[in-house]
């Protein structure tokens, strides 16, 4: 089961990297009027899901993915998803350490964000620098990925990241 889970994580990560590294963007059609909000230095639309909310910055597109969303503009992206059942903290740590080792990333650290303890590492996958945050809440894995050459200093990406609220 653990090997299957790691294989699925790898497949999703690879697809995430290919989509997030694509330089093209697509326009987003929204039939309803978006709720426009402002947080830190970003302005945009509040996106609500069953498990979290986040501000989609103006100029970014939204793509639904299994268990979550990806917000992207060119090669910059923020991806958030919630998946799985019956998981515990060791699964979050194992996933992060696996990514760290696979991509020769920074040492996995435990940090507190959004009222939860996440495991995090920064690495480059398929030419895209990125930082991943992984935790387990109520038996489900929550994974947040921030991608882009300047993802650690980009005010818009960091503003969207900081706007996340886990439910």
């Amino acid at each position: 089961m653990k090997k299957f889970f790691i294989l699925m994580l790898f497949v999703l990560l690879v697809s995430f990297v290919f989509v997030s590294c694509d330089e093209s963007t697509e326009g987003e059609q929204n039939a309803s009027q978006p709720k426009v909000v402002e947080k830190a230095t970003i302005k945009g639309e509040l996106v609500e899901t069953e498990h979290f909310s986040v501000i989609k910055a103006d100029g970014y597109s939204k793509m639904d993915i299994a268990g979550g969303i990806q917000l992207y503009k060119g090669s910059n992206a923020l991806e958030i998803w919630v998946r799985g059942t019956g998981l515990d903290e060791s699964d979050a740590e194992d996933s992060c350490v696996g990514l760290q080792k696979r991509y020769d990333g920074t040492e996995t650290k435990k940090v507190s964000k959004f009222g939860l303890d996440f495991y995090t590492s920064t690495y480059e996958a398929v030419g895209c620098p990125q930082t991943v945050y992984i935790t387990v809440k109520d038996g489900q894995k929550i994974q947040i990925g921030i991608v882009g050459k300047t993802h650690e200093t980009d005010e818009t990406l960091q503003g969207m990241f900081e706007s996340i609220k886990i439910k």
Side-chain angles (χ1 to χ4, degrees), residues 1-14 81 83 87 90-103 134 141 143:
M1 177 70 180
K2 201 173 239 185
K3 286 183 181 180
F4 174 75
F5 184 72
I6 291 172
L7 177 63
M8 289 304 297
L9 177 64
F10 178 73
V11 169
L12 291 169
L13 176 67
V14 170
W81 54 259
R83 299 183 190 132
L87 303 173
S90 67
D91 294 304
E93 184 176 18
D94 291 347
S95 292
C96 195
V97 168
L99 291 169
Q100 171 213 327
K101 288 180 179 179
R102 182 176 295 120
Y103 297 108
I134 304 172
K141 180 160 73 164
Q143 184 162 320

Side-chain angles (χ1 to χ4, degrees), residues 152-167:
E152 294 176 303
T153 58
D154 184 281
E155 288 183 16
T156 303
L157 278 173
Q158 289 300 314
M160 290 191 304
F161 175 67
E162 292 299 329
S163 77
I164 295 171
K165 291 199 180 356
I166 308 291
K167 298 179 182 177

Side-chain angles (χ1 to χ4, degrees), residues 12 18 22-23 28 70 73 78 101 123 153 156 161:
L12 291 169
F18 279 91
D22 183 3
E23 289 297 324
E28 180 180 337
Q70 184 181 91
K73 179 179 181 183
L78 175 68
K101 288 180 179 179
Y123 49 87
T153 58
T156 303
F161 175 67

Side-chain angles (χ1 to χ4, degrees), residues 60-158:
Y60 274 71
S61 296
K62 176 181 153 274
M63 177 173 62
D64 292 327
I65 59 173
I69 60 170
Q70 184 181 91
L71 306 175
Y72 64 95
K73 179 179 181 183
S75 62
N76 290 338
L78 175 68
E79 180 173 285
I80 313 160
W81 54 259
V82 180
R83 299 183 190 132
T85 58
L87 303 173
D88 62 28
E89 183 177 348
S90 67
D91 294 304
E93 184 176 18
D94 291 347
S95 292
C96 195
V97 168
L99 291 169
Q100 171 213 327
K101 288 180 179 179
R102 182 176 295 120
Y103 297 108
D104 193 27
T106 61
E107 183 179 339
T108 295
K109 295 186 294 187
K110 192 173 187 179
V111 298
S112 291
K113 291 298 281 179
F114 319 117
L116 299 168
D117 289 332
F118 283 82
Y119 291 92
T120 184
S121 180
T122 299
Y123 49 87
E124 187 170 312
V126 194
C128 292
Q130 51 196 285
T131 300
V132 66
Y133 293 83
I134 304 172
T135 193
V136 171
K137 179 180 181 215
D138 300 329
Q140 294 186 295
K141 180 160 73 164
I142 301 171
Q143 184 162 320
I144 303 168
I146 310 169
V147 179
K149 291 191 188 312
T150 59
H151 76 280
E152 294 176 303
T153 58
D154 184 281
E155 288 183 16
T156 303
L157 278 173
Q158 289 300 314

Side-chain angles (χ1 to χ4, degrees), residues 28-34:
E28 180 180 337
Q29 297 293 328
N30 191 344
S32 63
Q33 285 289 70

